Amino acid sequence: QVQLMESGGKAVQAGSSLLLSCIASEPTSVGSVMGWFRQAPGKGREFVAGISWIGRPVRYADFVKGRFTISRDNAQKTLTLQMTNLIPEDTAVYYCGARKPGTGPNWASQSEYDIWGQGTRVTVSS
């Protein structure tokens, strides 16, 4: 079973940038979409960004508004999320996930992800 491990989360000031990384213990299934989700205190987990196996297309939640960039390197088994211009509302635990191959077009559906990391915490203060 593939395992995912996130890193890069920390406490920062509003306006800062952070690079989150997610490393897989072994290659994910060919064709699998990977994504980032987040869960803020007291809220449910929500979709942040997703990327196809070949790197295009990519999809973002509306609240990203050009501030975040998702990328992946299949050879390095790495998924990243570059976050810029962070705001306090970005405070959350960020999770990476690998989607089951051959599932439908809704990348924001958590039920279609079968592998998750443990999360990395991002705290943004004003």
Side-chain angles (χ1 to χ4, degrees):
Q1 175 77 358
V2 176
Q3 294 183 327
L4 302 176
M5 180 176 292
E6 305 93 337
S7 63
K10 62 180 181 179
V12 296
Q13 296 284 325
S16 300
S17 298
L18 275 179
L19 177 67
L20 304 185
S21 297
C22 170
I23 297 177
S25 59
E26 56 190 87
T28 56
S29 299
V30 173
S32 64
V33 167
M34 293 195 73
W36 287 98
F37 286 72
R38 71 184 188 184
Q39 186 165 13
K43 297 187 177 181
R45 191 174 298 190
E46 62 180 351
F47 174 77
V48 175
I51 186 167
S52 70
W53 171 259
I54 60 172
R56 286 288 184 276
V58 294
R59 298 179 187 172
Y60 296 98
D62 289 342
F63 59 76
V64 170
K65 295 181 181 179
R67 300 183 297 125
F68 296 181
T69 302
I70 187 172
S71 62
R72 70 188 293 172
D73 184 333
N74 293 329
Q76 298 298 321
K77 300 174 290 183
T78 301
L79 176 74
T80 61
L81 185 68
Q82 177 67 59
M83 306 189 294
T84 63
N85 195 21
L86 286 161
I87 59 178
E89 289 76 14
D90 294 321
T91 295
V93 177
Y94 285 72
Y95 299 89
C96 65
R99 203 158 170 265
K100 307 168 196 175
T103 44
N106 183 7
W107 291 7
S109 174
Q110 297 180 52
S111 63
E112 295 184 357
Y113 291 76
D114 59 349
I115 304 172
W116 293 95
Q118 293 300 306
T120 186
R121 184 176 300 276
V122 173
T123 303
V124 185
S125 58
S126 58

